Amino acid sequence: MSVVYGLGIQLHIFIVYKNRGYAYKVAWRSGLLGFFLGLGILITRLASYSWCIFGFYMALLSFFHFSEYLTTAIINPKSLSLDSFLLNHSKEYGIAALCSWLEFFVECYFFPHWKELSWCTCFGLFLCIVGELVRKGAMFTAGTNFNHIIQSHREEGHVLVSHGLYAWCRHPSYVGWFWWSIGTQIVLCNPICTVVYAVASWRFFKQRVVEEEITLLNFFGEDYVNYQRRVPTGLPWIQGYRLEL
């Protein structure tokens, strides 16, 4: 009953405030994410093991999206917007999430023993936690230089970050997100979506890295060329954009 009551409150907030100002829109998004985080934790405590792993997934997904907004608010409030939640990242992102849920529910019904591989869930949790730490560590290291949107012009004070995690790989925030996304499907023991997510994420970041590095080369010139020579992208089999001299 308490879960139903909590959901009712969240729906009330959504209906009443969704067309209000910015603060209200932040509030109901945060409230819904907080609700599903709590619901996910509750499921992990009370449900059978097959459904327990879906609770882990709900908690991981909710925490990721809320922490994206919170971290941006801390490190670079000037770039903060509702898009910082990454809830509307892209149509493909939403379709991928729906497909992963569909696979889980179908396999849980027809092949429940597939969802009882504890070692698989533990490995997925490990990937998600490491991926989350790497991504948030990269965001904090970059500070005001970090932005969810590739910039077309160099802002005042924008510098080339090459210390911390950036001394080990050129795109640690993408590395973290890449492994986190794959980890979520391993948590769910979704064999099909694990492969699909890996391929789709790799293709997305391959294109994203090229687009970003073109702008970084325009911003920092030879300094970035030298940085490329010293440090790999960190993503498997992705070299990034190479300037032909």
Side-chain angles (χ1 to χ4, degrees):
M1 287 298 293
S2 60
V3 172
V4 175
Y5 178 72
L7 181 57
I9 292 176
Q10 301 302 327
L11 290 174
H12 174 74
I13 292 173
F14 173 78
I15 293 169
V16 174
Y17 296 127
K18 74 184 185 73
N19 294 320
R20 299 290 185 88
Y22 177 79
Y24 292 112
K25 293 178 180 179
V26 171
W28 71 256
R29 283 169 172 80
S30 300
L32 282 175
L33 289 172
F35 170 77
F36 285 113
L37 173 61
L39 181 60
I41 294 173
L42 186 64
I43 291 173
T44 65
R45 301 288 294 178
L46 301 178
S48 63
Y49 187 80
S50 295
W51 290 99
C52 173
I53 63 177
F54 194 78
F56 281 123
Y57 168 81
M58 286 178 63
L60 289 166
L61 190 66
S62 301
F63 180 81
F64 173 80
H65 285 288
F66 178 75
S67 64
E68 286 291 304
Y69 183 89
L70 179 61
T71 304
T72 304
I74 294 171
I75 64 169
N76 193 9
K78 290 195 302 182
S79 69
L80 192 66
S81 70
L82 293 176
D83 291 340
S84 300
F85 282 106
L86 295 184
L87 290 170
N88 58 340
H89 178 266
S90 66
K91 184 185 297 183
E92 292 77 12
Y93 184 79
I95 292 173
L98 289 174
C99 289
S100 72
W101 304 343
L102 179 62
E103 180 182 354
F104 176 83
F105 294 139
V106 170
E107 291 174 354
C108 194
Y109 182 80
F110 289 104
F111 314 104
H113 59 283
W114 287 13
K115 307 302 180 184
E116 296 177 359
L117 302 175
S118 58
W119 64 268
C120 184
T121 298
C122 289
F123 180 62
L125 283 171
F126 172 77
L127 281 183
C128 286
I129 292 171
V130 171
E132 184 75 79
L133 290 173
V134 170
R135 179 164 175 84
K136 296 309 184 291
M139 292 172 70
F140 275 104
T141 302
T144 57
N145 299 287
F146 181 88
N147 199 301
H148 283 113
I149 302 172
I150 296 176
Q151 303 298 290
S152 59
H153 64 278
R154 184 176 178 180
E155 298 285 347
E156 183 179 354
H158 188 185
V159 299
L160 176 61
V161 180
S162 58
H163 63 279
L165 288 170
Y166 289 86
W168 295 91
C169 55
R170 299 201 301 271
H171 301 279
S173 66
Y174 295 163
V175 171
W177 196 355
F178 176 78
W179 291 113
W180 176 88
S181 67
I182 297 173
T184 60
Q185 299 312 299
I186 298 177
V187 166
L188 291 174
C189 301
N190 281 351
I192 298 174
C193 279
T194 295
V195 175
V196 172
Y197 268 54
V199 173
S201 296
W202 186 87
R203 293 182 64 181
F204 170 78
F205 286 117
K206 184 176 187 294
Q207 180 181 355
R208 178 88 172 190
V209 164
V210 169
E211 293 173 354
E212 183 169 313
E213 292 200 336
I214 289 173
T215 65
L216 291 171
L217 284 165
N218 289 329
F219 292 169
F220 303 111
E222 188 176 351
D223 288 341
Y224 195 78
V225 173
N226 293 331
Y227 178 57
Q228 283 182 308
R229 291 170 180 164
R230 298 195 314 270
V231 181
T233 64
L235 292 159
W237 302 294
I238 295 179
Q239 295 185 351
Y241 182 81
R242 295 294 181 181
L243 182 63
E244 298 295 336
L245 299 177

